[in-house]
Amino acid sequence: MSTKKAPCTNTALIILEKSIPLFAKSGFTGVSMRDIAKTVGISIAALYHHYPDKQSMYIAAMGHAFSDMSTSIHSSLEIKGSAEERLSNFITSFTQQMADSPDFRALLQRELLDGDDERLKLLATKVFVEPFKALIDLAHDLYLDCDAHLLAISMTGLILFHFQTAPIRQFLPGGRPEHDAPEIIARHVLMLVSGVFNNVQQEAEY
Amino acid sequence: MSTKKAPCTNTALIILEKSIPLFAKSGFTGVSMRDIAKTVGISIAALYHHYPDKQSMYIAAMGHAFSDMSTSIHSSLEIKGSAEERLSNFITSFTQQMADSPDFRALLQRELLDGDDERLKLLATKVFVEPFKALIDLAHDLYLDCDAHLLAISMTGLILFHFQTAPIRQFLPGGRPEHDAPEIIARHVLMLVSGVFNNVQQEAEY
DNA sequence: GTCTATAGCCTGATAGAC
DNA sequence: GTCTATCAGGCTATAGAC
């Protein structure tokens, strides 16, 4: 367990870790093997010793980035408490994790645009299936009888979209730098979702 | 006014209209001048007669795509009625417009990832500033005293994220094909936002 | 305004020495 | 496992005829 977190000296893994920021910034077609070789500090031919082609390297890099995020998310789903506490905790920690992982966010966006079914399935099962199950359980415990899948999408989307739009918000009415702070975003999303909670309770009382 | 909507026979505009789907599908670096020339049905050299380089052509294509969306959105912001009716109408029509414009959605996502400040400012002023103003007015009329900018981002994000995640939802718990329908998405988002409305009213009564 | 032809560079990928 | 050298083809962009 502790060995997995040790700084990596294996060349194949170093290639992945150094190429992830490049792919996040410029996408698959925007990064050349030359760029990667230069960043890693080895020759192009050496890259091909570890991966048969660029596509395989990209997929391996995605798998690595998604595994990292997976462990990070998993570790924050276990907290016990009331349903309200767990909801608040999920939103807060997920928002903080996304704020801490700009590369993952960019890769996620790029995969949603360009990923084929195989890559999207990997992304789903490695990263999002478990938090989605937790969210659906949470919706059940909170007596939210709206579609749990749609609600889970909405909650993750609410959080992620605030980060996605960060670069354009300075040009939109009311946009201010404070709006980028994860604490502000988390509080806002929790307010929105709590609204649903109360709303459905009201309807149930009719 | 009617002339603007007439089918275009000007080569420079045909180039834009035929290249927009290519850029939407594969991004700037994923489309070559060869691809565009082939799709338009002219030679590469002819492309360079109308645009000085690939970058200029891409920016012109973005401007064209965003203008189209701008007029489409503007035409649905004028409807009168109570604040609740206008909210419902905005969500419904915006969701429908996004459902009808997959190319615009893809270009928007790509620009959020790769656009520089100049391009993002164009995107903001051409497309999003006006609906944002309408949403902020709406939030005021509904006595929502939460941050209007954050709420506007959240509403557009709620809608857009359901489309963004369409290809991956089949791999997530509870995902079903019906969830892609704009009517379902619009109703779900309206339910979420109405929840806020009731919630804030409750708080105001305390 | 459109064409053919091409320059000059960059691309992914390989061969073979060490 | 890493290197240098290289290939064949794609890339953006241009020249010059019609």
Side-chain angles (χ1 to χ4, degrees), chain B residues 29-44:
Chain B
T29 54
V31 177
S32 70
M33 296 300 269
R34 282 175 146 79
D35 297 332
I36 297 167
K38 193 177 235 177
T39 300
V40 176
I42 61 176
S43 69
I44 294 178

Side-chain angles (χ1 to χ4, degrees), chain A residues 73-74 76-79 82-98 127-128 130-136 138 151-157 159 186 189-190 193:
Chain A
I73 289 181
H74 265 78
S76 73
L77 291 178
E78 315 265 335
I79 290 100
S82 70
E84 287 85 351
E85 285 168 344
R86 279 183 292 144
L87 177 66
S88 170
N89 182 75
F90 174 85
I91 291 173
T92 304
S93 65
F94 186 74
T95 305
Q96 189 61 57
Q97 281 160 348
M98 291 302 112
V127 181
F128 287 110
E130 286 304 320
F132 257 63
K133 283 183 186 168
L135 278 177
I136 288 172
L138 210 43
L151 185 63
I153 293 276
S154 289
M155 285 181 53
T156 52
I159 294 168
V189 172
L190 184 60
V193 179

Side-chain angles (χ1 to χ4, degrees), chain B residues 19-116:
Chain B
S19 67
I20 283 172
L22 299 181
F23 285 131
K25 192 187 179 199
S26 307
F28 180 77
T29 54
V31 177
S32 70
M33 296 300 269
R34 282 175 146 79
D35 297 332
I36 297 167
K38 193 177 235 177
T39 300
V40 176
I42 61 176
S43 69
I44 294 178
L47 292 179
Y48 282 95
H49 175 78
H50 297 281
Y51 299 97
D53 53 33
K54 187 188 175 186
Q55 176 92 10
S56 304
M57 209 177 80
Y58 178 77
I59 292 174
M62 294 304 105
H64 189 69
F66 296 161
S67 286
D68 274 2
M69 187 50 60
S70 173
T71 55
S72 170
I73 290 181
H74 265 77
S75 67
S76 72
L77 290 179
E78 315 267 334
I79 289 100
K80 297 291 174 188
S82 70
E84 287 85 352
E85 284 168 344
R86 279 183 293 144
L87 177 67
S88 170
N89 180 77
F90 174 86
I91 291 173
T92 304
S93 65
F94 186 75
T95 305
Q96 190 61 55
Q97 281 160 348
M98 291 302 111
D100 294 341
S101 314
D103 285 346
F104 171 79
R105 282 187 275 126
L107 293 176
L108 169 60
Q109 269 187 268
R110 294 192 188 281
E111 284 296 282
L112 288 177
L113 276 166
D114 301 323
D116 56 25

Side-chain angles (χ1 to χ4, degrees), chain A residues 12-201:
Chain A
L13 277 176
I14 292 177
I15 291 171
L16 298 189
E17 287 170 1
K18 297 229 179 191
S19 67
I20 282 172
L22 300 181
F23 285 129
K25 192 187 179 199
S26 307
F28 179 78
T29 54
V31 177
S32 70
M33 296 299 270
R34 281 173 146 80
D35 296 332
I36 297 168
K38 193 177 234 176
T39 300
V40 176
I42 61 176
S43 69
I44 294 177
L47 292 180
Y48 282 95
H49 176 78
H50 297 281
Y51 299 96
D53 53 32
K54 187 188 176 187
Q55 175 91 9
S56 304
M57 209 177 80
Y58 177 77
I59 291 175
M62 293 304 104
H64 189 69
F66 296 161
S67 286
D68 275 1
M69 187 48 61
S70 173
T71 55
S72 171
I73 289 181
H74 265 78
S75 68
S76 73
L77 291 178
E78 315 265 335
I79 290 100
K80 297 292 174 187
S82 70
E84 287 85 351
E85 285 168 344
R86 279 183 292 144
L87 177 66
S88 170
N89 182 75
F90 174 85
I91 291 173
T92 304
S93 65
F94 186 74
T95 305
Q96 189 61 57
Q97 281 160 348
M98 291 302 112
D100 293 342
S101 314
D103 285 346
F104 171 80
R105 282 188 275 125
L107 293 175
L108 168 60
Q109 271 187 265
R110 295 192 186 280
E111 285 297 282
L112 287 177
L113 277 166
D114 301 322
D116 56 24
D117 270 7
E118 195 183 341
R119 270 150 57 189
L120 289 172
K121 185 167 186 173
L122 191 79
L123 172 58
T125 52
K126 268 204 172 180
V127 181
F128 287 110
V129 163
E130 286 304 320
F132 257 63
K133 283 183 186 168
L135 278 177
I136 288 172
D137 288 347
L138 210 43
H140 177 261
D141 291 352
L142 288 167
Y143 309 105
L144 300 180
D145 60 355
C146 81
D147 188 303
H149 173 81
L150 285 179
L151 185 63
I153 293 276
S154 289
M155 285 181 53
T156 52
L158 273 172
I159 294 168
L160 284 166
F161 198 71
H162 283 275
F163 291 107
Q164 281 185 32
T165 52
I168 205 179
R169 263 182 309 174
Q170 60 182 307
F171 307 118
L172 292 174
R176 293 195 303 171
E178 305 92 279
H179 290 144
D180 291 346
E183 299 81 11
I184 304 289
I185 295 172
R187 194 198 309 156
H188 171 78
V189 172
L190 184 60
M191 185 273 293
L192 271 174
V193 179
S194 301
V196 187
F197 176 42
N198 292 330
N199 191 33
V200 175
Q201 276 200 326

